[in-house]
């Protein structure tokens, strides 16, 4: 195909015409033809429905009978003054911070250990990575039994006097009254964090391990020549070099944790006093149980925006980097 | 190069073909309705017992009408909540199943009938002579503005207190019929280290279920019914009394209630860790079929405190949605469903009692016989927790309020949120 185009441009005199010819070259037509279906599908089924959801969230559609009259921000107003949604925001914030924090710490720690040229490294790698292959629903069911206050690990922990109510605990640590809720760290959410960290740490380990392997040995050699101890090498050299990986881990985990639904739904449900409820569960119940379609859409929009807070700066950042 | 062109042609062809095939099957008989002409029975009956009942019903229909293809489209899980979500999206998309399970009362009337999605069935009732075969109160529950919209297939009772016979005998206790007797027994049991009342509110409706039986006991059928029409306010003194009693009962429940579902709570009673449990009589099916316990030997039953002579009805019904292509076949199915034969094929297996008053009593176990007797004479009350008394939207709010109340036990706040939720009732 290429030679044909070259010939064409040679015969045509005007540069403008050359441009046009090039834009419509059969190669590009083919490319557009292949892209068009998926572009159309994404336009309709992703962006079209996002705008539709946004529109519904501003409507009065809160029963089985569709009612698209404009309601303004009424649904958002309701949500932010709702006990359950305030609890959801608290739980999501606490969950996200604990979850991402634990994953970064465990991920780096395990990756560094794996990077010590140990024997059977691939075996350990697989063990850490396998939970990733499970669905969150399976993880939820398993940990529901493990952390059940009357069975599971408590049978062992009671022997050493360390029983916990796990996800049925309704206490809130460091709590203070804020809005309608007690703001603080719900003890119950830590049980969910344990399950989520168990599942997702393997992913962070894999990413950090790839990052560690990408650091050339010369860097370490140079640091050793300068008399740095192994601990100093990690603290001052290796871990700072892993920062781009950490950014990626935070982005990926943040969008998982902000949208989490299946793990909570399978493991605890909304929980007593909504100590383990999250916006995803509320959205499902409001929309499909209570038929509050507009409220559900408003929750969906808030979830989208909260994820966008993480994703958009990342996209801008990585685009700038690609351009420079 | 050539190869890749061929590959893309094959891909495009297969896409086009699959698009064609799905649209051609939709237009199969020239009708404008989507889907085939199969008689699709939509329900959430997938558990032990209920699935057998449904199959027996379908078999009965197939014997009568062998030429009508029938399909069991049951959606599993979540005590019907998953099925309801699927149903809602199908109805919104104008792709209704031929007939679907719906609780009589508000779930039907304030839901699908109000949304103008159901056909009336007056002519079917007329033709089958059903108007005096179902109790009048029950027909009212499936009617709106004088039109009948569905056919009840079974009756479950909600206000049942199940108790462990062995525990009660060992401690010399009688099954409580008043709240005073309940608290007296609960206090004794607590002193012995036995959990008096089992609750499993991982799904919050179970706590709402307990609360509604207290409401019924304190208010009686008449005032209880007035709550849903707005004639009685939720800050009435009697409601407050019920809330305080409910709160007191919550002092006697198992500590791990929020990690259990209703089956897990029933299990506590079954294996003697807890003495009592308030649950609908599907719990009997669980005790007998799953846990292999014997009625009146291992476990006993009484109406929940102060609800003697009252009957919290949960009835599964089937109706005819608008816009189905095979309405005549659906009516044939509904006729079988409402017949004595149909009800007696389904209910003994499901563990419920028939909705008709002239069914064959000998086919039911002792609990069924007692309940059929009670059903004939008792005053009927619509269950809130199961969507019969008020709309799903109201129920969702009540469930949330109850869920908060079980932990915070703030009666004033609870009554306030019930009251503000009630502003949605007309």
């Amino acid at each position: 195909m290429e030679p044909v185009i070259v010939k064409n441009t040679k015969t045509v005199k005007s540069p403008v015409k050359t441009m046009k010819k090039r834009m419509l070259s059969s190669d590009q037509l083919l490319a557009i033809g292949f892209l068009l279906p998926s572009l159309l599908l994404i336009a309709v089924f992703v962006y079209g429905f996002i705008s539709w959801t946004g529109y519904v969230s501003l409507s009065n559609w809160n029963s089985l009978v569709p009612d698209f009259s404009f309601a303004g921000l009424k649904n958002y107003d309701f949500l932010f003054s709702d006990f359950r949604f305030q609890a959801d925001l608290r739980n999501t914030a606490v969950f996200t911070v604990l979850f991402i924090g634990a994953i970064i710490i465990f991920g780096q720690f395990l990756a560094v250990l794996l990077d010590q040229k140990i024997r059977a490294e691939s075996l350990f790698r697989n063990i850490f990575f396998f939970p990733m292959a499970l669905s969150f629903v399976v993880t939820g069911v398993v940990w529901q039994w493990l952390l059940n206050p009357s069975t599971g690990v408590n049978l062992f922990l009671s022997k050493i006097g360390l029983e916990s109510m796990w996800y049925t605990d309704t206490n809130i640590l460091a709590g203070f009254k804020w809005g309608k809720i007690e703001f603080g760290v719900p003890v119950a959410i830590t049980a969910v964090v344990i399950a989520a960290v168990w599942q997702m740490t393997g992913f962070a380990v894999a990413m950090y391990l790839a990052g560690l392997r990408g650091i050339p040995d010369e860097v370490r050699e140079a640091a050793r020549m300068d008399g740095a101890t192994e601990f100093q090498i990690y603290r001052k050299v290796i871990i700072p070099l892993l920062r781009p990986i950490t950014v990626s881990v935070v982005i990926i985990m943040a969008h998982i944790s902000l949208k989490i639904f299946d793990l909570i739904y399978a493991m605890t449900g909304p929980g007593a006093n909504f100590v383990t409820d999250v916006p995803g569960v509320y959205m499902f119940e409001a929309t499909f149980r209570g038929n509050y379609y507009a409220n559900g859409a408003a929750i969906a929009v808030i979830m989208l925006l909260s994820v966008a807070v993480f994703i958009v700066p990342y996209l801008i950042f990585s685009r700038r980097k690609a351009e420079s | 190069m050539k190869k890749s062109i061929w590959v893309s042609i094959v891909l495009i062809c297969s896409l086009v073909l699959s698009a064609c095939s799905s649209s051609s099957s939709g237009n199969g008989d020239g009708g404008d309705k989507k889907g085939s002409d199969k008689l699709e029975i939509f329900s959430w009956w997938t558990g032990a017992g209920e699935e057998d009942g449904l199959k027996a019903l379908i078999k009965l229909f197939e014997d009568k009408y062998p030429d009508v293809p029938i399909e069991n489209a049951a959606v599993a899980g979540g005590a019907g909540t998953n099925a309801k979500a699927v149903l809602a999206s199908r109805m919104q998309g104008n792709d209704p199943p031929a007939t679907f399970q719906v609780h009589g009362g508000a779930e039907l009337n304030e839901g699908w009938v109000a949304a103008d999605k159901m056909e009336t069935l007056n002519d079917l009732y007329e033709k089958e002579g059903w108007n005096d075969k179902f109790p009048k109160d029950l027909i009212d529950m499936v009617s709106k503005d004088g039109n009948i919209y569905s056919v009840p297939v079974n009756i479950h009772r909600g206000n049942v207190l199940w108790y462990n016979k062995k525990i009660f005998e060992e401690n010399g206790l009688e099954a409580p019929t008043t709240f005073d007797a309940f608290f007296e027994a609960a206090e004794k049991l607590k002193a012995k280290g036995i959990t008096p009342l089992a609750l499993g509110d991982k799904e919050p409706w179970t706590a709402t279920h307990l609360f509604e039986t207290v409401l019924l006991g304190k208010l009686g059928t008449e005032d209880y019914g007035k709550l849903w029409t707005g004639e009685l306010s939720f800050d009435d003194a009697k409601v407050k009394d019920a809330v305080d009693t409910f709160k007191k009962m919550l002092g006697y429940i198992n500590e791990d209630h929020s990690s259990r579902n209703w089956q897990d709570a029933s299990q506590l009673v079954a294996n003697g860790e807890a003495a009592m449990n308030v649950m609908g009589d599907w719990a009997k099916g669980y005790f007998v079929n799953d846990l292999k316990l014997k009625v009146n030997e291992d476990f006993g039953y009484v109406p929940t405190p102060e609800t003697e002579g009252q009957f919290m009805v949960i009835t599964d019904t089937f109706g005819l949605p608008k816009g189905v292509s095979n309405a005549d076949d659906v009516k044939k199915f509904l006729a079988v469903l409402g017949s004595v034969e149909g009800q007696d094929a389904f209910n003994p297996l499901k563990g419920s009692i028939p909705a008709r008053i002239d069914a064959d009593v000998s086919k039911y176990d002792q609990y069924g016989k007692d309940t059929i007797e009670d059903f004939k004479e008792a005053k009927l009350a619509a269950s809130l927790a199961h969507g019969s008394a008020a709309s799903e939207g109201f129920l969702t709010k009540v469930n949330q309020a109850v869920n908060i109340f079980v932990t915070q036990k703030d009666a004033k706040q609870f009554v306030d949120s019930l009251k503000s939720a009630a502003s949605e009732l007309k």
Side-chain angles (χ1 to χ4, degrees):
Chain A
M1 291 253 176
E2 290 280 322
V4 183
I5 299 168
V6 176
K7 250 185 209 166
N8 276 355
T9 47
K10 268 182 189 167
T11 50
V12 179
K13 279 164 195 164
S14 154
V16 181
K17 271 193 176 171
T18 323
M19 285 278 283
K20 266 192 184 160
K21 269 269 151 66
R22 236 184 225 158
M23 277 173 83
L24 294 174
S25 76
S26 60
D27 231 16
Q28 278 162 323
L29 269 180
L30 196 68
I32 291 169
F34 273 115
L35 283 175
L36 204 60
S38 66
L39 283 179
L40 273 177
L41 290 176
I42 288 174
V44 173
F45 289 103
V46 178
Y47 295 100
F49 284 161
I50 286 177
S51 354
W52 174 244
T53 307
Y55 175 66
V56 170
S57 78
L58 299 173
S59 76
N60 279 313
W61 186 16
N62 277 325
S63 73
L64 278 175
V65 189
D67 173 2
F68 298 120
S69 57
F70 186 71
L73 294 173
K74 199 184 82 187
N75 296 303
Y76 295 92
D77 222 34
F78 164 77
L79 283 176
F80 284 110
S81 61
D82 182 28
F83 175 90
R84 180 169 184 180
F85 195 69
Q86 290 184 356
D88 288 357
L89 292 178
R90 169 197 70 201
N91 297 343
T92 310
V94 171
F95 179 80
T96 304
V97 169
L98 292 181
F99 172 67
I100 295 180
I103 284 222
I104 289 173
I105 292 168
F106 284 116
Q108 274 182 10
F109 182 67
L110 290 174
V112 167
L113 287 187
L114 276 179
D115 198 37
Q116 304 303 314
K117 309 201 166 57
I118 51 169
R119 266 201 282 170
E121 186 206 305
S122 65
L123 177 76
F124 284 109
R125 229 168 39 208
N126 284 336
I127 288 174
F128 294 141
F129 207 64
F130 269 144
M132 269 285 292
L134 295 177
S135 112
F136 261 135
V137 175
V138 178
T139 312
V141 172
V142 170
W143 282 93
Q144 178 205 342
W145 290 114
L146 282 175
L147 298 183
N148 187 300
S150 43
T151 59
V153 293
N154 261 7
L155 295 181
F156 165 73
L157 289 177
S158 64
K159 296 242 160 58
I160 48 174
L162 277 177
E163 281 169 285
S164 165
M165 288 297 289
W166 296 114
Y167 56 85
T168 62
D169 197 323
T170 52
N171 290 320
I172 292 177
L173 297 179
F176 56 92
K177 186 101 177 133
W178 194 27
K180 287 193 175 156
I181 56 161
E182 177 108 351
F183 193 86
V185 179
V187 180
I189 210 84
T190 55
V192 185
V193 170
I194 290 172
V197 167
W198 175 80
Q199 167 139 17
M200 298 309 289
T201 299
F203 184 79
V205 171
M207 286 186 72
Y208 280 119
L209 202 54
L212 285 170
R213 297 282 147 89
I215 296 171
D217 270 344
E218 289 85 49
V219 179
R220 294 169 203 243
E221 286 301 323
R224 279 193 198 108
M225 296 289 280
D226 289 343
T229 64
E230 281 302 304
F231 180 73
Q232 277 175 325
I233 293 175
Y234 275 105
R235 220 179 80 82
K236 304 264 175 167
V237 181
I238 306 286
I239 289 177
L241 280 173
L242 288 176
R243 200 168 288 152
I245 309 268
T246 305
V247 172
S248 301
V249 169
V250 168
I251 299 293
I252 292 166
M253 293 305 153
H255 93 86
I256 290 175
S257 89
L258 290 171
K259 293 189 301 190
I260 196 148
F261 168 80
D262 33 11
L263 178 72
I264 309 271
Y265 199 71
M267 187 171 162
T268 66
N273 211 16
F274 299 114
V275 281
T276 57
D277 200 41
V278 288
V281 174
Y282 190 16
M283 177 181 74
F284 175 76
E285 292 194 346
T287 314
F288 294 110
R289 285 191 190 173
N291 301 318
Y292 293 106
Y293 288 89
N295 280 346
I299 299 172
V301 170
I302 294 168
M303 282 168 71
L304 178 75
L305 292 178
S306 67
V307 174
V309 166
F310 279 86
I311 299 284
V312 170
Y314 177 69
L315 288 181
I316 294 171
F317 171 75
S318 55
R319 220 194 129 137
R320 273 206 199 123
K321 216 162 126 191
E323 272 169 3
S324 64
Chain B
M1 187 71 207
K2 266 203 174 144
K3 201 176 160 197
S4 68
I5 287 177
W6 278 114
V7 170
S8 49
I9 288 173
V10 169
L11 276 175
I12 289 166
C13 285
S14 61
L15 270 176
V16 171
L17 276 176
S18 63
C20 286
S21 65
S22 59
S23 63
S24 66
S25 70
N27 297 329
D29 62 342
D32 55 347
K33 296 291 172 279
K34 277 175 273 169
S36 61
D37 268 340
K38 269 199 173 159
L39 193 61
E40 202 183 350
I41 315 293
F42 188 94
S43 74
W44 54 87
W45 285 330
T46 55
E50 53 189 25
E51 191 183 14
D52 301 333
L54 180 61
K55 280 184 180 156
L57 202 58
I58 289 174
K59 192 174 172 303
L60 186 71
F61 179 80
E62 280 173 336
D63 289 346
K64 284 201 171 168
Y65 302 101
D67 52 328
V68 181
I70 196 163
E71 189 185 341
N72 178 5
V75 177
T81 45
N82 295 348
K84 284 178 195 171
V86 174
L87 180 68
S89 44
R90 285 188 63 174
M91 295 291 268
Q92 302 281 2
N94 288 324
D95 177 29
T99 182
F100 60 88
Q101 178 184 4
V102 57
H103 288 136
E107 189 178 316
L108 171 74
N109 297 327
E110 308 306 321
W112 301 121
V113 175
D116 196 24
K117 299 275 188 191
M118 304 301 289
E119 301 277 4
T120 65
L121 295 171
N122 296 1
D123 53 336
L124 183 71
Y125 271 68
E126 206 68 46
K127 196 177 131 213
E128 303 287 332
W130 283 344
N131 284 315
D132 55 353
K133 294 289 184 283
F134 292 103
K136 194 178 165 306
D137 284 359
L138 191 63
I139 294 185
D140 285 348
M141 279 178 75
V142 294
S143 306
K144 192 179 167 81
D145 303 329
N147 289 317
I148 307 173
Y149 287 97
S150 72
V151 182
V153 56
N154 68 353
I155 301 289
H156 275 297
R157 186 174 199 173
N159 56 327
V160 189
L161 179 87
W162 309 92
Y163 61 95
N164 184 310
K165 277 225 144 176
K166 214 173 130 207
I167 293 181
F168 269 65
E169 270 160 29
E170 278 173 4
N171 293 290
L173 292 168
E174 291 270 320
T177 54
T178 64
F179 286 109
D180 289 341
F182 174 86
F183 288 122
E184 206 176 298
E187 203 50 56
K188 274 185 195 160
L189 289 163
K190 202 177 181 181
K192 288 258 168 89
I194 302 165
T195 305
L197 184 67
L199 178 71
D201 67 344
K202 188 183 174 199
E203 294 170 80
W205 65 262
T206 54
T208 308
H209 186 113
L210 176 62
F211 176 56
E212 75 175 7
T213 64
V214 179
L215 268 181
L216 183 65
K218 287 285 178 191
L219 272 70
T221 352
E222 210 168 297
D223 281 351
Y224 173 83
K226 281 184 185 165
L227 284 175
W228 322 123
T229 55
E231 289 168 72
L232 191 73
S233 164
F234 275 95
D235 54 7
D236 190 271
K238 282 192 225 166
V239 178
K240 284 184 176 160
D241 184 25
V243 169
D244 287 336
T245 311
F246 177 48
K247 182 176 162 181
K248 202 170 163 196
M249 282 173 118
L250 291 174
Y252 294 101
I253 58 173
N254 45 307
E255 211 176 65
D256 61 350
H257 58 93
S258 65
S259 69
R260 291 174 180 269
N261 57 25
W262 71 264
Q263 288 101 328
D264 302 330
S266 307
Q267 224 166 49
L268 285 178
V269 177
N271 55 30
E273 286 172 62
M276 295 176 277
N277 181 26
V278 171
M279 190 35 61
D281 59 11
W282 45 91
K284 186 208 71 180
Y286 182 68
F287 282 135
V288 173
N289 299 334
D290 298 84
L291 302 178
K292 310 287 174 215
L293 300 183
K294 290 207 179 68
V295 183
N296 281 332
E297 265 179 50
D298 299 310
F299 68 94
Y301 51 88
V302 284
T304 53
E306 293 169 30
T307 62
E308 181 82 55
Q310 307 181 50
F311 200 109
M312 187 75 81
V313 185
I314 293 114
T315 176
D316 289 306
T317 72
F318 283 80
L320 172 59
K322 281 188 176 165
V324 295
S325 56
N326 43 358
D328 289 336
D329 289 344
V330 177
K331 283 190 176 172
K332 283 179 196 164
F333 178 76
L334 294 180
V336 172
L337 195 80
S339 67
V340 174
E341 241 181 313
Q343 305 237 319
D344 283 342
F346 176 80
N347 286 306
L349 291 167
K350 158 97 167 133
S352 44
I353 65 164
R356 289 178 69 118
I357 47 180
D358 56 350
D360 183 359
V361 182
S362 67
K363 291 198 169 156
Y364 298 85
D365 64 4
Q366 189 54 45
Y367 174 81
K369 283 175 184 154
D370 289 354
T371 312
I372 290 171
E373 266 325 297
D374 284 354
F375 181 61
K376 276 181 189 157
E377 276 145 38
K379 288 190 197 143
L380 304 189
S383 162
L384 168 68
H386 302 279
S388 294
S391 71
E392 293 277 320
F394 176 74
L395 172 58
T396 307
K397 297 231 159 130
V398 173
N399 279 338
Q400 292 182 13
V402 168
N403 188 17
I404 294 166
F405 180 68
V406 170
T407 304
Q408 299 193 351
K409 300 205 174 72
D410 182 341
K412 190 184 167 298
Q413 188 196 331
F414 181 48
V415 169
D416 283 349
S417 43
L418 287 179
K419 229 184 119 186
S420 79
S423 63
E424 286 188 14
L425 298 164
K426 17 147 233 302

